[in-house]
Structure formats: structure tokens, C-alpha cells
Amino acid sequence: MVIVSREKTKLVDSKISDYLDGLRSGEGTPGGGAVNALAGAQAAALLMKVCAVTAENEDFSEFASLNKTVVNSLEPIFKDFQAEIDRDTEAYNVFTSAKDMPSETPVEKSARNEAMARAAVEATDSPVHIMDLALKTLIVAATVKKKFDPELAGDYGAAALNLRSAVYGAWMDVRANIDALHDAELRNHYESHGFEVVRKAAKLSEELFISANKMI
């Protein structure tokens, strides 16, 4: 395993090469959570480009207003995805710190368990939010299906695939963390909600990808 030494900076502000070095390093972060959030951010950015370029193209003037609306709708989603890139790292660090707390006495064990329970909620909520953002982005993207410049179909299709990856990857993180939740009601909520998001995202991402592929 490659061990790479690097300064602790926000991932979203990192160079791509530094980010990739972090992924292949022996450190706990960045990991899959950051990858999932980045996939979502990439998708949102690609869709914003598709719609912005289409809106400026006179050949597609009938769709200009719609595409401009989509760009505006995606801007806050894009920023949320960016925030999640580092939120995952922060959640991991909090959980690791809680796990490393002393547990020799009953009081220490109790404090450690409570800290880990709180950290587990954050570690689960972050990937759930990524899933929700990805599905929301797919729904927005569907409003411009076949209503953009066909020359950008590859970008649109790539966005759909990135969003599916974000959902699937984040769902794996949810499943990995969910057993650590003490609140059974919250655990059941995350599980049922996650299944539904995966189902909807799988269907919609496939639909959008196939549609874009036919435009090429």
C-alpha cells in the first residue's frame, strides 16, 4: 500500500493529483464517501454546462428558458455536493476520534458509547444526503431530456452515470454505518428511505442514459 504524506486541506480545494494520491494512500480519508459526493458534483456541473451552452445556442431557442431555469436550479445542488465532499471526511474523523476514546472505566465506556452513537448518526446522514441530492439532480435533469444540443449528449449521459454511481456508492456507506445507530426508528427510516432512493435513481438514471445515447 502506498503511503503519501500531504497537508490537511479541504478536499474540495485540493489539486486533482493530490486528491488521487489521497485515495491511493493508507489513510482513512478521502474514501468512498468523498468519491460519491464528487461524482454528484461532477454530474451537476456537467448538466449545468449542457444547459448553459444549449441556452446560448440560437438553434435551440425554444428550449432556452427551460435550460436557463435548470442551470439556476442546479447551482445550489452543486454547492451542496461540494460541501459533502469534506463533510464525509469530517464525519469519519469524528467517528474515529470517538472510537479511540478511553473505555477502561464504566464512566469512560458510557462516554465513548454516547460519542460513537452521535458520530454514527452523522456518518450515516451524510451519505443519505448524497443519495437525496443525486436523485434530486436526476429529477431536474429529466426536465431537459431531449431538449438540449445533441452535441452535448455525451456530457448528459456521463452525468446520469455519475449520479447513479453516487447513489449506489452512498447507499453502500449507509449500509456499512447503519448498524451502529442506537435509534431503531432512525435506523429503519434510513433503510427504507435508502431502498426507495436506489429504486428511483436506478430507473431514472438508466432512462436518461439511454435517451442521451440515442441522440448521438
Side-chain angles (χ1 to χ4, degrees):
M1 181 175 288
V2 180
I3 304 298
V4 179
S5 176
R6 68 190 193 288
E7 294 183 0
K8 297 293 183 182
T9 58
K10 280 193 172 184
L11 290 175
V12 75
D13 296 326
S14 300
K15 293 181 180 179
I16 293 177
S17 58
D18 291 339
Y19 169 73
L20 293 175
D21 280 343
L23 288 179
R24 69 190 181 96
S25 75
E27 298 183 34
T29 57
V35 170
N36 300 329
L38 180 59
Q42 289 178 156
L46 276 172
L47 290 169
M48 291 171 73
K49 178 173 74 170
V50 168
C51 294
V53 173
T54 299
E56 295 301 317
N57 190 329
E58 294 182 356
D59 292 339
F60 303 95
S61 58
E62 62 180 309
F63 302 131
S65 178
L66 173 61
N67 276 272
K68 288 178 181 178
T69 298
V70 169
V71 172
N72 292 333
S73 296
L74 289 173
E75 181 64 36
I77 295 176
F78 172 69
K79 290 180 179 178
D80 279 350
F81 271 128
Q82 283 186 301
E84 287 299 325
I85 294 173
D86 280 292
R87 183 187 175 195
D88 172 78
T89 297
E90 293 164 2
Y92 175 88
N93 290 338
V94 170
F95 187 82
T96 300
S97 296
K99 191 176 180 180
D100 291 340
M101 289 174 64
S103 58
E104 294 181 2
T105 68
V107 173
E108 290 177 340
K109 287 180 180 179
S110 177
R112 179 177 180 271
N113 289 338
E114 289 181 8
M116 288 185 66
R118 289 193 299 270
V121 173
E122 178 67 11
T124 306
D125 188 68
S126 178
V128 168
H129 188 49
I130 291 173
M131 294 176 72
D132 288 340
L133 286 173
L135 179 58
K136 185 177 181 180
T137 307
L138 283 166
I139 292 172
V140 172
T143 64
V144 291
K145 186 178 72 171
K146 297 181 180 179
K147 296 177 181 179
F148 59 87
D149 186 345
E151 291 187 5
L152 299 165
D155 291 332
Y156 187 90
L161 293 176
N162 270 263
L163 290 167
R164 181 168 65 183
S165 175
V167 170
Y168 283 12
W171 177 231
M172 293 182 73
D173 284 342
V174 172
R175 293 183 63 229
N177 297 328
I178 204 168
D179 285 341
L181 298 178
H182 290 183
D183 187 331
E185 184 176 346
L186 182 60
R187 190 165 60 242
N188 291 335
H189 166 71
Y190 279 144
E191 189 168 30
S192 60
H193 178 71
F195 272 123
E196 185 64 11
V197 172
V198 169
R199 184 187 67 79
K200 291 180 179 179
K203 180 180 179 180
L204 189 51
S205 61
E206 184 71 8
E207 176 186 318
L208 299 185
F209 173 74
I210 291 175
S211 174
N213 197 38
K214 289 180 178 179
M215 294 176 70
I216 297 175

